[in-house]
Amino acid sequence: MVSPKTRYLVFFQYWGTKYSGVMQTSAEQSGIGVQNYLEKAAQNLKPVVPIKFHISSRTDSGVHALCNSAHLDIQRAPGKPAFQERVLIGCLNHHLKPEPIRILSAYRVTNNFHARFSALSRTYIYRLLMGCTHHSEIPVFERDLCWAPPGGYLNVPAMQDAAQFLLGTHDFSTFCSLNSETPFRSPVKTILQADIQPSSGFLSHHYEYRGLQFWELKFKSRSFLYRQVRRMVGALVAVGQGKLAPHHIKELLEMKDARAFPAFAMAPSSGLFLKSVEYNEADLQTVTPGE
Protein backbone atom coordinates (compact mmCIF):
# COMPACT_ATOMS: atom_id res chain seq x y z
CA MET A 1 0.00 0.00 0.00
CA VAL A 2 1.33 3.43 -0.97
CA SER A 3 1.19 6.15 1.68
CA PRO A 4 -0.47 9.44 0.66
CA LYS A 5 1.82 12.41 0.12
CA THR A 6 1.70 15.38 2.47
CA ARG A 7 2.34 18.89 1.15
CA TYR A 8 4.10 21.51 3.28
CA LEU A 9 4.88 25.18 2.83
CA VAL A 10 8.19 26.16 4.40
CA PHE A 11 9.64 29.62 4.95
CA PHE A 12 13.43 29.83 4.93
CA GLN A 13 16.24 32.39 4.92
CA TYR A 14 19.78 32.42 3.60
CA TRP A 15 22.88 34.53 3.22
CA GLY A 16 23.24 34.53 -0.56
CA THR A 17 26.88 35.53 -1.06
CA LYS A 18 28.28 32.02 -1.50
CA TYR A 19 25.49 30.65 -3.68
CA SER A 20 24.77 30.83 -7.41
CA GLY A 21 21.22 31.82 -6.52
CA VAL A 22 18.31 30.08 -4.86
CA MET A 23 17.48 27.74 -7.76
CA GLN A 24 18.96 24.28 -8.16
CA THR A 25 22.09 23.90 -10.29
CA SER A 26 23.45 20.84 -12.09
CA ALA A 27 26.81 19.16 -11.52
CA GLU A 28 28.14 20.78 -14.70
CA GLN A 29 27.57 24.31 -13.36
CA SER A 30 30.26 26.02 -11.32
CA GLY A 31 28.05 27.44 -8.55
CA ILE A 32 25.68 25.68 -6.19
CA GLY A 33 22.13 26.84 -5.49
CA VAL A 34 20.33 27.04 -2.15
CA GLN A 35 17.80 24.52 -3.48
CA ASN A 36 20.57 21.91 -3.84
CA TYR A 37 21.25 22.08 -0.10
CA LEU A 38 17.57 22.10 0.84
CA GLU A 39 16.88 18.94 -1.15
CA LYS A 40 20.03 17.23 0.12
CA ALA A 41 18.89 17.90 3.70
CA ALA A 42 15.37 16.64 2.89
CA GLN A 43 16.66 13.24 1.78
CA ASN A 44 17.51 12.56 5.43
CA LEU A 45 13.75 12.37 6.04
CA LYS A 46 13.92 9.01 4.20
CA PRO A 47 11.04 9.70 1.80
CA VAL A 48 9.67 7.05 -0.54
CA VAL A 49 9.96 9.53 -3.43
CA PRO A 50 12.82 12.10 -3.67
CA ILE A 51 11.70 15.48 -2.32
CA LYS A 52 11.67 18.51 -4.60
CA PHE A 53 11.38 22.08 -3.32
CA HIS A 54 9.16 24.31 -5.47
CA ILE A 55 10.60 27.76 -4.78
CA SER A 56 8.21 30.73 -4.71
CA SER A 57 10.68 33.49 -5.59
CA ARG A 58 13.87 33.29 -7.61
CA THR A 59 16.90 35.21 -6.37
CA ASP A 60 20.22 35.64 -8.19
CA SER A 61 23.75 35.00 -7.09
CA GLY A 62 24.68 37.22 -4.15
CA VAL A 63 21.06 38.11 -3.29
CA HIS A 64 19.95 37.31 0.27
CA ALA A 65 16.59 36.29 1.71
CA LEU A 66 15.20 37.23 5.10
CA CYS A 67 12.29 35.01 4.14
CA ASN A 68 11.72 33.02 0.95
CA SER A 69 9.26 30.14 0.66
CA ALA A 70 8.74 26.82 -1.07
CA HIS A 71 6.34 23.91 -1.06
CA LEU A 72 7.37 20.27 -0.96
CA ASP A 73 5.63 16.92 -0.96
CA ILE A 74 6.70 14.19 1.47
CA GLN A 75 5.64 10.60 0.97
CA ARG A 76 6.71 8.31 3.79
CA ALA A 77 6.89 4.52 3.99
CA PRO A 78 3.58 2.70 4.53
CA GLY A 79 2.35 3.07 8.10
CA LYS A 80 4.49 6.12 8.82
CA PRO A 81 2.44 9.19 9.86
CA ALA A 82 2.97 12.64 8.38
CA PHE A 83 5.63 14.75 10.04
CA GLN A 84 4.58 17.36 12.56
CA GLU A 85 5.74 20.79 11.42
CA ARG A 86 8.16 21.26 14.34
CA VAL A 87 9.78 17.89 13.63
CA LEU A 88 10.18 18.78 9.96
CA ILE A 89 11.78 22.14 10.83
CA GLY A 90 14.16 20.57 13.35
CA CYS A 91 15.29 17.79 11.05
CA LEU A 92 15.92 20.05 8.06
CA ASN A 93 17.82 22.61 10.14
CA HIS A 94 19.95 19.88 11.70
CA HIS A 95 21.15 18.74 8.30
CA LEU A 96 21.54 22.31 6.99
CA LYS A 97 23.74 23.19 9.98
CA PRO A 98 27.00 23.86 8.09
CA GLU A 99 25.27 26.25 5.66
CA PRO A 100 23.94 29.81 6.20
CA ILE A 101 20.43 28.53 5.39
CA ARG A 102 17.66 28.16 7.98
CA ILE A 103 14.07 26.91 7.93
CA LEU A 104 11.95 29.47 9.81
CA SER A 105 8.52 27.85 9.85
CA ALA A 106 6.41 25.17 8.17
CA TYR A 107 2.72 24.70 7.44
CA ARG A 108 0.81 21.70 6.21
CA VAL A 109 -1.20 22.84 3.17
CA THR A 110 -3.62 21.35 0.68
CA ASN A 111 -2.32 19.44 -2.33
CA ASN A 112 -3.45 22.16 -4.76
CA PHE A 113 -1.48 24.87 -2.94
CA HIS A 114 1.51 26.25 -4.90
CA ALA A 115 4.22 28.34 -3.25
CA ARG A 116 4.76 30.46 -6.36
CA PHE A 117 1.28 30.83 -7.80
CA SER A 118 -0.60 31.11 -4.50
CA ALA A 119 1.54 34.04 -3.32
CA LEU A 120 -0.33 37.34 -2.98
CA SER A 121 2.77 39.55 -3.02
CA ARG A 122 6.51 39.72 -2.52
CA THR A 123 8.49 42.41 -0.73
CA TYR A 124 12.14 43.24 -1.38
CA ILE A 125 14.41 45.63 0.46
CA TYR A 126 17.68 47.09 -0.78
CA ARG A 127 20.23 48.43 1.71
CA LEU A 128 22.27 51.50 0.81
CA LEU A 129 25.22 52.92 2.72
CA MET A 130 26.01 56.62 2.30
CA GLY A 131 29.10 58.46 3.42
CA CYS A 132 31.79 56.20 1.97
CA THR A 133 34.10 57.75 -0.60
CA HIS A 134 35.64 54.35 -1.41
CA HIS A 135 34.37 50.77 -1.06
CA SER A 136 37.23 50.03 1.35
CA GLU A 137 35.44 52.24 3.89
CA ILE A 138 32.48 49.85 4.19
CA PRO A 139 32.45 48.38 7.73
CA VAL A 140 33.74 44.82 7.68
CA PHE A 141 30.50 43.48 9.22
CA GLU A 142 28.49 45.00 6.34
CA ARG A 143 30.55 43.38 3.59
CA ASP A 144 28.29 41.91 0.88
CA LEU A 145 25.18 43.13 2.74
CA CYS A 146 24.81 46.65 1.33
CA TRP A 147 25.86 48.90 -1.54
CA ALA A 148 27.91 52.04 -0.96
CA PRO A 149 27.51 54.01 -4.21
CA PRO A 150 30.63 56.02 -5.09
CA GLY A 151 30.53 59.72 -4.32
CA GLY A 152 29.38 59.64 -0.72
CA TYR A 153 25.95 61.09 0.08
CA LEU A 154 22.87 60.97 -2.17
CA ASN A 155 20.01 63.42 -2.67
CA VAL A 156 17.37 61.33 -0.88
CA PRO A 157 14.42 63.74 -1.40
CA ALA A 158 15.03 63.62 -5.17
CA MET A 159 15.11 59.80 -4.99
CA GLN A 160 11.84 59.77 -3.05
CA ASP A 161 10.23 62.00 -5.67
CA ALA A 162 11.49 59.74 -8.44
CA ALA A 163 10.21 56.60 -6.70
CA GLN A 164 6.63 57.88 -6.98
CA PHE A 165 6.79 57.37 -10.75
CA LEU A 166 7.29 53.63 -10.17
CA LEU A 167 4.10 53.20 -8.15
CA GLY A 168 1.05 51.71 -9.84
CA THR A 169 0.67 49.57 -12.96
CA HIS A 170 3.17 50.10 -15.77
CA ASP A 171 4.99 48.32 -18.56
CA PHE A 172 8.39 47.77 -16.92
CA SER A 173 10.19 46.54 -20.05
CA THR A 174 12.95 49.15 -19.59
CA PHE A 175 13.54 47.86 -16.05
CA CYS A 176 13.91 44.20 -17.04
CA SER A 177 17.21 42.50 -17.87
CA LEU A 178 16.79 40.21 -20.86
CA ASN A 179 16.94 36.44 -20.34
CA SER A 180 15.41 33.31 -21.87
CA GLU A 181 12.06 33.89 -20.13
CA THR A 182 11.64 37.53 -21.23
CA PRO A 183 9.61 36.81 -24.42
CA PHE A 184 7.12 34.68 -22.46
CA ARG A 185 6.41 37.00 -19.50
CA SER A 186 4.20 40.06 -19.45
CA PRO A 187 6.23 43.19 -18.68
CA VAL A 188 3.20 44.80 -17.00
CA LYS A 189 3.58 44.84 -13.22
CA THR A 190 1.90 46.71 -10.37
CA ILE A 191 4.18 48.26 -7.75
CA LEU A 192 2.22 48.51 -4.50
CA GLN A 193 4.98 50.11 -2.45
CA ALA A 194 8.16 52.05 -3.27
CA ASP A 195 9.61 53.58 -0.12
CA ILE A 196 12.99 55.01 0.88
CA GLN A 197 13.50 55.14 4.63
CA PRO A 198 16.46 55.62 7.02
CA SER A 199 17.77 52.40 8.51
CA SER A 200 20.63 51.17 10.67
CA GLY A 201 23.74 49.06 10.29
CA PHE A 202 25.06 46.18 12.34
CA LEU A 203 26.36 47.71 15.60
CA SER A 204 26.48 51.07 13.79
CA HIS A 205 25.83 52.95 17.06
CA HIS A 206 29.43 52.07 17.99
CA TYR A 207 30.86 54.03 15.06
CA GLU A 208 28.47 56.97 14.76
CA TYR A 209 31.49 59.28 14.64
CA ARG A 210 32.14 58.10 11.07
CA GLY A 211 28.96 59.81 9.85
CA LEU A 212 27.76 56.82 7.83
CA GLN A 213 24.07 56.63 6.90
CA PHE A 214 22.10 53.47 6.15
CA TRP A 215 18.93 53.64 4.04
CA GLU A 216 16.44 51.01 2.89
CA LEU A 217 14.52 50.99 -0.36
CA LYS A 218 11.41 48.81 -0.15
CA PHE A 219 9.38 47.49 -3.09
CA LYS A 220 6.22 45.40 -2.96
CA SER A 221 4.42 43.74 -5.86
CA ARG A 222 2.68 40.49 -6.68
CA SER A 223 5.70 39.62 -8.81
CA PHE A 224 8.74 41.22 -10.42
CA LEU A 225 10.59 40.92 -13.71
CA TYR A 226 14.14 39.59 -13.98
CA ARG A 227 16.46 42.00 -12.13
CA GLN A 228 13.68 44.61 -12.02
CA VAL A 229 14.40 45.62 -8.42
CA ARG A 230 18.12 46.07 -9.08
CA ARG A 231 17.36 48.26 -12.08
CA MET A 232 14.85 50.36 -10.15
CA VAL A 233 17.35 50.83 -7.30
CA GLY A 234 20.16 51.70 -9.70
CA ALA A 235 18.04 54.29 -11.48
CA LEU A 236 16.97 55.88 -8.18
CA VAL A 237 20.60 56.02 -7.02
CA ALA A 238 21.50 57.70 -10.31
CA VAL A 239 18.87 60.32 -9.45
CA GLY A 240 20.43 60.72 -6.02
CA GLN A 241 23.84 61.23 -7.65
CA GLY A 242 22.48 63.83 -10.05
CA LYS A 243 23.14 61.66 -13.11
CA LEU A 244 19.39 61.48 -13.77
CA ALA A 245 16.52 63.81 -12.84
CA PRO A 246 13.37 62.42 -11.18
CA HIS A 247 11.33 62.88 -14.38
CA HIS A 248 13.78 60.62 -16.23
CA ILE A 249 12.28 57.64 -14.35
CA LYS A 250 8.93 58.39 -15.98
CA GLU A 251 10.63 58.72 -19.37
CA LEU A 252 12.44 55.39 -18.97
CA LEU A 253 9.12 53.70 -18.20
CA GLU A 254 7.56 55.22 -21.32
CA MET A 255 10.38 53.91 -23.54
CA LYS A 256 9.40 50.27 -22.82
CA ASP A 257 12.77 49.06 -24.07
CA ALA A 258 15.33 47.18 -21.95
CA ARG A 259 18.13 48.50 -24.19
CA ALA A 260 17.24 52.09 -23.23
CA PHE A 261 18.25 51.51 -19.61
CA PRO A 262 21.49 53.38 -18.74
CA ALA A 263 24.41 50.94 -18.49
CA PHE A 264 25.77 52.72 -15.41
CA ALA A 265 22.56 52.33 -13.42
CA MET A 266 22.45 48.63 -12.49
CA ALA A 267 22.67 48.11 -8.73
CA PRO A 268 24.84 45.19 -7.54
CA SER A 269 23.25 42.11 -6.02
CA SER A 270 24.90 42.39 -2.60
CA GLY A 271 22.46 44.91 -1.08
CA LEU A 272 19.29 43.09 -2.13
CA PHE A 273 17.14 41.03 0.26
CA LEU A 274 13.88 39.20 -0.35
CA LYS A 275 12.08 40.36 2.79
CA SER A 276 8.86 38.35 2.64
CA VAL A 277 6.38 36.37 0.56
CA GLU A 278 2.76 36.98 1.54
CA TYR A 279 -0.12 34.49 1.37
CA ASN A 280 -3.78 34.37 2.24
CA GLU A 281 -3.90 33.35 5.90
CA ALA A 282 -6.69 30.89 5.13
CA ASP A 283 -4.22 28.91 2.99
CA LEU A 284 -2.00 28.42 6.05
CA GLN A 285 -4.72 27.00 8.31
CA THR A 286 -3.19 23.56 8.54
CA VAL A 287 -4.71 20.18 9.15
CA THR A 288 -3.05 18.59 12.19
CA PRO A 289 -0.63 15.94 10.93
CA GLY A 290 -0.01 12.63 12.61
CA GLU A 291 2.22 12.14 15.59
Side-chain angles (χ1 to χ4, degrees):
M1 185 180 74
V2 178
S3 296
K5 68 180 182 180
T6 305
R7 180 163 294 187
Y8 297 88
L9 171 69
V10 295
F11 292 95
F12 59 101
Q13 63 182 197
Y14 48 90
W15 183 41
T17 303
K18 66 174 289 187
Y19 304 113
S20 63
V22 70
M23 303 305 290
Q24 185 177 46
T25 55
S26 64
E28 295 76 32
Q29 294 174 279
S30 56
I32 302 178
V34 173
Q35 185 179 354
N36 294 67
Y37 289 101
L38 291 170
E39 294 182 359
K40 182 180 178 182
Q43 296 318 307
N44 291 283
L45 300 171
K46 297 181 171 54
V48 173
V49 178
I51 294 172
K52 181 174 177 60
F53 280 67
H54 300 267
I55 310 289
S56 75
S57 307
R58 292 191 178 191
T59 58
D60 284 343
S61 175
V63 177
H64 316 286
L66 295 174
C67 187
N68 203 337
S69 61
H71 77 259
L72 59 148
D73 294 329
I74 302 177
Q75 190 170 349
R76 304 192 71 191
K80 294 278 188 180
F83 285 107
Q84 290 185 343
E85 288 94 329
R86 60 178 176 79
V87 175
L88 177 62
I89 295 167
C91 182
L92 290 175
N93 279 336
H94 175 75
H95 293 286
L96 286 166
K97 203 175 294 181
E99 297 297 321
I101 306 169
R102 289 295 175 271
I103 306 297
L104 302 172
S105 58
Y107 298 85
R108 190 175 180 184
V109 293
T110 61
N111 287 341
N112 61 359
F113 178 91
H114 196 287
R116 179 182 174 188
F117 300 117
S118 299
L120 300 178
S121 62
R122 295 157 175 86
T123 302
Y124 283 86
I125 60 171
Y126 196 101
R127 300 181 70 239
L128 290 177
L129 173 57
M130 303 181 197
C132 295
T133 56
H134 189 268
H135 66 81
S136 63
E137 297 176 0
I138 299 173
V140 67
F141 297 110
E142 293 289 350
R143 182 181 176 185
D144 298 324
L145 298 174
C146 64
W147 177 30
Y153 297 97
L154 303 173
N155 183 344
V156 175
M159 295 169 64
Q160 291 170 328
D161 289 344
Q164 300 310 300
F165 291 113
L166 298 170
L167 287 170
T169 303
H170 307 281
D171 183 323
F172 280 94
S173 293
T174 306
F175 289 85
C176 173
S177 290
L178 301 177
N179 69 357
S180 59
E181 293 185 4
T182 304
F184 308 103
R185 298 194 65 186
S186 169
V188 177
K189 300 293 177 183
T190 301
I191 301 297
L192 303 170
Q193 184 177 12
D195 291 342
I196 305 173
Q197 300 289 341
S199 185
S200 59
F202 180 70
L203 297 176
S204 57
H205 57 285
H206 288 294
Y207 51 87
E208 289 178 345
Y209 65 91
R210 294 186 59 186
L212 302 181
Q213 297 179 6
F214 289 87
W215 292 79
E216 280 185 11
L217 288 74
K218 182 186 290 185
F219 301 96
K220 182 176 182 178
S221 177
R222 188 172 189 277
S223 61
F224 294 88
L225 299 171
Y226 180 53
R227 293 184 176 171
Q228 180 184 346
V229 176
R230 288 172 59 189
R231 284 194 169 209
M232 291 191 298
V233 170
L236 293 177
V237 167
V239 170
Q241 293 171 323
K243 296 178 181 178
L244 296 176
H247 68 84
H248 286 140
I249 301 300
K250 182 173 184 290
E251 293 174 7
L252 286 170
L253 281 169
E254 291 170 346
M255 289 179 186
K256 303 177 184 177
D257 183 356
R259 296 165 297 182
F261 189 80
F264 61 80
M266 171 68 84
S269 61
S270 55
L272 182 58
F273 293 74
L274 174 60
K275 177 184 179 291
S276 58
V277 184
E278 293 81 29
Y279 295 95
N280 188 324
E281 284 192 18
D283 288 338
L284 308 186
Q285 301 301 314
T286 63
V287 177
T288 304
E291 296 294 319

